[in-house]
Amino acid sequence: MKDMLALAGAVLLALAPGQAFASNGAALANEAAVLAPNRFVWSDDLTAPSMATQPLSIVISIADQKAYVYRGETLVAASAVSTGKDGKETPVGTFTILQKAETHKSNLYNAAPMPFMQRLTWDGVAIHAGNNPGFPASHGCIRVPTAFAKKLFSVTSVGTPVLVTDASADEGWTPPTAYDAQAMAAETASANTGQLQQVAAQ
């Protein structure tokens, strides 16, 4: 039990270093630390004026197999995810949501359904609802539980920043912000090149 509490505390500190969480943010971080596959937690209180004006951002941790949603530096939601399997790894970097479609089918994989699709690269990497077994199993996309995908789709916009990282929550990160536009463009171009090279090599 002591080890579990220590881990939860470490995750809480790592998710927003130097940030004093609201009470619901602290509880959310504790829940995020022990999320089971195909589960999520959500506590985005837009009725609070200070929260409604905060920019939204998303962090995808490949190490944790989780997505973390922030308003400013405050954690407001978290979900289990399934990222790319061996040979089809999800590219890391800072991206923006390029396109959104509530109903979408894959152009690459037999018209596989990709509900609540939010595109990160033009060559096929997106966040969308899908099978969420608790380990990397996709062809490069970030699969999330359907209910979470729907809620996330409702609060994001084209241009919302998304950090995809190999770091785990206990290593920490800084949620991406809108002023990273130039870095995002460079990361997106690099990821697209890498993905195209992978496809060409097959």
Side-chain angles (χ1 to χ4, degrees):
M1 182 65 175
K2 183 185 288 185
D3 289 344
M4 184 63 74
L5 291 174
L7 175 62
V11 170
L12 171 59
L13 292 173
L15 288 177
Q19 172 71 25
F21 276 96
S23 58
N24 65 333
L28 198 74
N30 290 335
E31 291 180 66
V34 294
L35 272 178
N38 210 41
R39 295 289 182 265
F40 71 93
V41 288
W42 194 285
S43 182
D44 192 0
D45 184 10
L46 294 180
T47 62
S50 61
M51 292 300 290
T53 59
Q54 292 295 311
L56 190 83
S57 65
I58 303 165
V59 175
I60 307 296
S61 169
I62 293 174
D64 293 349
Q65 289 294 285
K66 288 175 186 167
Y68 302 90
V69 183
Y70 294 88
R71 290 245 176 230
E73 292 187 346
T74 301
L75 182 69
V76 296
S79 174
V81 305
S82 180
T83 57
K85 60 187 177 182
D86 286 349
K88 297 284 186 179
E89 289 84 358
T90 302
V92 298
T94 308
F95 307 90
T96 56
I97 292 174
L98 301 171
Q99 179 189 35
K100 296 177 58 169
E102 192 168 331
T103 57
H104 182 76
K105 292 185 178 179
S106 173
N107 299 322
L108 300 175
Y109 300 106
N110 303 315
M114 300 168 64
F116 304 105
M117 185 276 295
Q118 303 195 67
R119 184 183 298 280
L120 301 184
T121 73
W122 288 117
D123 59 321
V125 177
I127 301 169
H128 65 84
N131 185 32
N132 195 240
F135 53 84
S138 79
H139 287 91
C141 282
I142 299 151
R143 299 181 192 158
V144 298
T146 300
F148 179 82
K150 184 175 183 179
K151 289 178 76 71
L152 187 65
F153 191 92
S154 72
V155 297
T156 60
S157 58
V158 171
T160 294
V162 180
L163 170 65
V164 181
T165 178
D166 286 326
S168 63
D170 59 355
E171 295 174 275
W173 49 66
T174 301
T177 54
Y179 62 73
D180 291 327
Q182 187 173 4
M184 289 176 194
E187 292 281 6
T188 299
S190 174
N192 282 339
T193 299
Q195 289 289 107
L196 291 171
Q197 287 171 346
Q198 268 189 6
V199 170
Q202 293 170 359

